[in-house]
Amino acid sequence: MIHSLFLINHSGDIFLEKHWKSVISRSVCDYFFEVKEKAVDPENVPPVLQTPHHYLISIYRGKLFFLSVVQTEVPPLFVIEFLHRVADTFQDYFGECSEGVIKDNLVTVYELLEEMLDNGFPLATESNVLKEMIRPPNILRSVVNTLTGGSNVGDTLPTGQLSNVPWRRAGVKYTNNEAYFDVVEEIDAILDKSGTTVFAEIQGVVEACVRLTGMPDLTLSFMNPRLLDDMSFHPCVRFKRWESERVLSFIPPDGNFTLMTYHVSSQNLVAIPVYVKQNINFFETGSCGRLDITIGPKQNMGKTVEGLMVTIHMPKVVLSANLTATQGNYTYDLTTKVLVWDIGKLNPQKLPNLRGSLSMQAGAPKPEENPSLNIDLKIQQLAISGLKVSRLDMYGEKYKPFKGVKYLTKAGKFQVRT
Amino acid sequence: MSTGALYNDQGGAEAAVEAGQESTPTSSGSGAAFGLFSADFKKNEDLKEMLESSKESLKLEAMKRIVGLIAKGKNASELFPAVVKNVASKNIELKKLVYVYLVRYAEEQQDLALLSISTFQRALKDPNQFIRASALRVLSSIRVPIIVPIMMLAIKEAAADLSPYVRKTSAHAIQKLFSLDADQKEQLIEVIEKLLKDKSTLVAGSVVMAFEEVCPDRIDLIHKNYRKLCNLLVDVEEWGQVVIISMLTRYARTQFTSPWKEGAMFDENNEKAFYESDSEEKKGHTEEKPYIMDPDHRLLLRNTKPLLQSRNTAVVMSVAQLYWHLAPKHEVSIVTKSLVRLLRSHREVQYIVLQNIATMSIQRKGMFEPFMKSFYVRSTDATHIKTLKLEILTNLANEANISTILREFQTYVKSQDKAFAAATIQAIGRCATNISEVTDTCLNGLVLLLSNRDETVVAESVVVIKKLLQTQPTQHSEIIKHMAKLFDNITVPMARASILWLIGEYCERVPKIAPDVLRKMAKSFTAEEDIVKLQTVNLAAKLYLTNSKQTKLLTQYILNLGKYDQNYDIRDRTRFIRQLIVPSEKSGALNKYARRILLAPKPAPVLESSFKDRDRFQLGTLSHSLNSKATGYQELSDWPAVAPDQSVRNVEIIEAVKEWTPTVGKTKQPKSDDKFYSDDEDEKEEEGSDSSGSEDSSSSSSEGLFMYFTMQMFSSCLAAKYHFPRQPCLYQPSMVAVQVILSNSSDHSLEEIHIGDRSPASLSIHCFNTIERLEPEASVTVSMGIDFSDSTQAANFQLCTKEDQFSVSIQPAVGELLMPSSMTEQDFCKEQGKLQGMNETSATITMETANASSQAISKQVLSVANVGVVSSSQNNFSRFAGRTVSSGALVLVSLELKESSTALLTINTEKTVMASMLLRDIKQALTQA
């Protein structure tokens, strides 16, 4: 299936290669570079490419290209999903997935890649199983290792791969047993010029951080599971229980994981927490423009809107911005033409406002389209859909775990057209 | 240079010596290359030394650096001999790194690689399954043709291994061997056939992968395993699911009849049902539908459906394509939501999913129409995502939603991403041709765009307008005039060519403007692009035919220019046109038809989706994504007209069928061990509640654990063996039952065997009845009861025959002084709570790995002590309860498993002496293999 993997950095250097079958020369990447040159923006490189003898399937993550070489028919999503899993694993092991970190941990990376695929077919992709075989680096261990000549390869053989619950390692032990769940909802919305909602939906995810001793069996139930329209689960969730009783019953992996993602039925009206009054004008003469944006609270369920931020991709002709903000501060990046207004907390008594003039390249025609505004915001302790966890029960273990649920609403792809 | 620097900071003392040499080459290109080479050479010397040192840490360091070289794509092949020596190292990390090296370079150094083979062959026999598996993995990854027979043998053996993990590895090895030597195909198919029968979820995905690679056409191998694969599917790991689903899709298309002909089937239906009623396969899937689906077909659809909720996007996509290709039309729409969900995922995932939705939405608008807004474009999307969304929106457009879509398109046209704006214009054009109600609106909108400042937008508009006008040219001379006016400002060749073509085609509608445009073109002809030149020639020819008075000279001028053009196409075209339109003696009969040839009414182009013909590929495949057939693409066959024999899938053992019968609520489900979804916890609880069950199991399990001790051999050759049958003593409850086998190994018969004096005198023994006579070679079993008073003190007595008497001593093991006691977990904990402090004895023990499972623990404990198992709801706790035979004091044994096979063994009882002895015995049993 997957023949080889090349890791390529932003400037087009191949800094790691791994082959699971016979070696393929790195010159195969030249086809990719050709397309990359043309695409200008790395985001625009098509993920699937055809070359005379190979097929190239790539993903772009953290300013890196993960380029895999495939020789025969294979579902492209299979490869893409796997590559993302590789990137996730790096993230999990090293805290970030960047060129520097991969170069620093080259041997661990190589060992990981070796375990994750056998002859191009995924072998061990569960983080818990991998961690049993190859320990993630930490400072203390690396010091100890250099002194004692120890290794970061686990000396016990991985039993997780054999068990019924491959995602959980055996013999987990904690002094403080705790299970935290974060219900995070994102509002995806497009608002038009007049502020009416063109499109809005809520996507939610239940992230879990479970540190429990032994083999706990958890049951998580919601007050209003009917809200959920479509969902996907971590493999640990017993689907039959969900179908029949609408509860999440599972033996959790150890550590952080995504328990489920869901979509709130589109029939429900989506509450939009803020309104935006905006006025962006470019004048035909004088090569300048005006900008005036005010943001106010709308349906925020009585909670404070925090972390408010407006990002605008200005047209190329806008040279500089001379604005005043009543709250927060703004920056305008001259090279990328991105205007960022970081507001912070929304004060309903004194609405934040940003106004001033934009100066444009002399002689250039006025831009056709006004740039759209991307809004970022956060509301703590609120799931905007109204979803609530009712209880968490644990079976199979004697101790009393510490339990907690946190709610958070964020703006997802929240766009205001102007 | 960079490599040199890198070596320096890792190299330690040895490297420092060479630092001078390494840092020198900096100047010229060739010099640097040479320097690099020599540095490499030197460096490797150093690595070799490290590898040959006796220090493990140095070797490891060296291997790490070598792997670093491999990762960077540098050549480290000359180190092969030094590396291969370490293949049998004890250090696991070192060994793993050597494996990495070996797999990378064995192909290049085949002879040397053979040195390592024996190590792997030895490891293949290792008692540890992981070592066997990893040996097979590396052995099969070494691409050396000479070892093919060895690999073949290893694969065959591993395929029959007890461990499913090793069998999984052997399935992987099959593909490797096949790619190394395709001649082994027949033998490998045999192994595949065997592994396909495997019931382990671990093996299923890998063996199907091997099947797909080695013999995808041997569909007959699947028949018997079809139902099993369907049933295992949910529990197979996610990557295996993808492979199995795509294989089953192909399988189903060859084995079942089409579920799609519902309407047409109405007449045949009665007939068909009539036939079917006779067949035994009909199992109640008749339902209300006229078409009768094969139950196996239904089984596949039902068992894949839950996987739509998988977190793995590849799994969701493969189920979606399965439904698309196999499900009845009205059921396909259940995949919609899940596909739309995938659009929230990574950019690359979106790309593939949108491609598939684009193909689906051409055939089935209704499926995605309710989700139209999910395809609205955001300014932050990548260009190829935007175009795909646009494609889908266009496919979804109908009379009802066109106004919404057009309004949305208006926003897109203004986009700063001009390539996208151009694509939008094309989309508008398509909507306009598909939905006649909006053609005029669209056309007007497009004409407005002609005054757009951006050139690509204008050009695209011109091209689209041209196509639209062709459909209804009569009422649009105004637009053509407008475009002719714009002509001077448009520089994009395609747009200019389009306008020229339009003017030429409808030159009779714009008689005044056309010659003028030609005049301008004659002026700029040489500077135009080829495509524009061609259209200029065309325009000239058409005008010559319709309006030769005004344009004759101009035409000749243009034809002359064209005659000497650099491009041969244009020279050709010019020559052709000249012969066609200018009458001369040489020109033949065609001349007469020139007008009819050039000014023939042309059919309007159909604006079609670029995804129109993609449905010839199976959805979700690479071929579909590329829109061209990829190597190894398996064509999806058409439904057979008549279903092949259904009984081929029947399996003699019907247990597989049992598994999927829907069960209600919490009833016990008979499922195999390696299934996660089987609720084994439930089963245990139920077992605990009916105590008879647990008693049965404990007594039956101790059945085979009789203790035999050969006692004494008498001079007269009376031999006696005794054992503890672990049954309650019939004579008196406080006694321990002992069975004695007396055998006469002498040559004369023995008479009057009985028990004589005993000591201590207080010892109460229930004697067996005197045996009158025991013939030579004969033996007899007698039972007796002894009250040991809960001590392990030996019971001494005399065994008498007619002539002789012998003293016998029976010393019981402490565990035999107990009787199993059945109690629930709660009672156990309650009782344990009462027996704390002095009465508790505990020790931490390290168990043999083979004993680490709870079954093994029970077995070992029961072999030592006659106690009962207390069913436990916690996996890491094993509890046993018993009472002493004489006094009936409780003895509670509990074992708490900790990590890495250590456990805390606790015994609670009033009889502290017994406790410590029991502790010692159990500990001994568990720490030994």
Side-chain angles (χ1 to χ4, degrees), chain B residues 190-208:
Chain B
E190 276 169 35
V191 183
I192 289 174
E193 191 173 359
K194 191 164 152 199
L195 283 174
L196 275 172
K197 296 199 180 99
D198 206 303
K199 286 199 176 59
S200 164
T201 49
L202 216 52
V203 184
S206 303
V207 68
V208 171

Side-chain angles (χ1 to χ4, degrees), chain B residues 763-780:
Chain B
L763 183 73
S764 75
I765 294 182
H766 180 91
C767 308
F768 53 88
N769 296 333
T770 305
I771 298 162
E772 293 301 337
R773 189 180 176 85
L774 193 60
E775 293 297 332
E777 306 297 327
S779 62
V780 63

Side-chain angles (χ1 to χ4, degrees), chain A residues 17 26 43 60 73 81 85 114 118 126 151-152 157-158 186 188 231 233 237 366 368 396 417, chain B residues 71-72 93 130 137 176 238 309 311 313 344 347-348 408 452-453 621-623 631 677 874:
Chain A
E17 62 179 72
R26 55 167 69 191
E43 294 260 312
Y60 183 66
E73 171 64 52
E81 175 81 25
R85 219 48 93 70
E114 182 74 24
D118 182 15
E126 279 298 334
S151 72
N152 59 346
L157 292 155
E186 294 194 357
D188 285 356
M231 48 265 138
F233 301 112
V237 176
K366 107 180 171 114
E368 201 115 347
R417 291 178 177 164
Chain B
K72 291 196 202 77
E93 183 169 24
F130 288 102
R137 212 182 132 189
K176 298 183 209 168
E238 40 196 7
Q309 257 63 49
R311 66 167 169 173
T313 57
R344 283 278 299 180
R347 184 179 63 90
E348 297 83 7
E408 190 64 20
N452 193 295
R453 208 174 294 116
T621 59
L622 184 62
S623 307
T631 333
Y677 284 92
Q874 290 144 286

Side-chain angles (χ1 to χ4, degrees), chain A residues 355-376:
Chain A
R355 75 172 85 197
S357 62
L358 305 167
S359 66
M360 294 188 296
Q361 213 171 323
K366 107 180 171 114
E368 201 115 347
E369 185 202 31
N370 285 339
S372 52
L373 319 180
N374 292 299
I375 313 273
D376 244 329

Side-chain angles (χ1 to χ4, degrees), chain B residues 281-313:
Chain B
E281 277 297 307
K282 194 178 163 233
K283 275 182 192 161
H285 277 285
T286 40
E287 288 163 12
E288 71 293 334
K289 261 185 284 128
Y291 150 82
I292 296 157
M293 187 181 269
D294 188 312
D296 287 328
H297 190 170
R298 174 54 65 198
L299 173 72
L300 177 60
L301 292 176
R302 186 174 44 219
N303 283 10
T304 47
K305 194 179 157 200
L307 298 179
L308 282 173
Q309 257 63 49
S310 171
R311 66 167 169 173
N312 188 317
T313 57

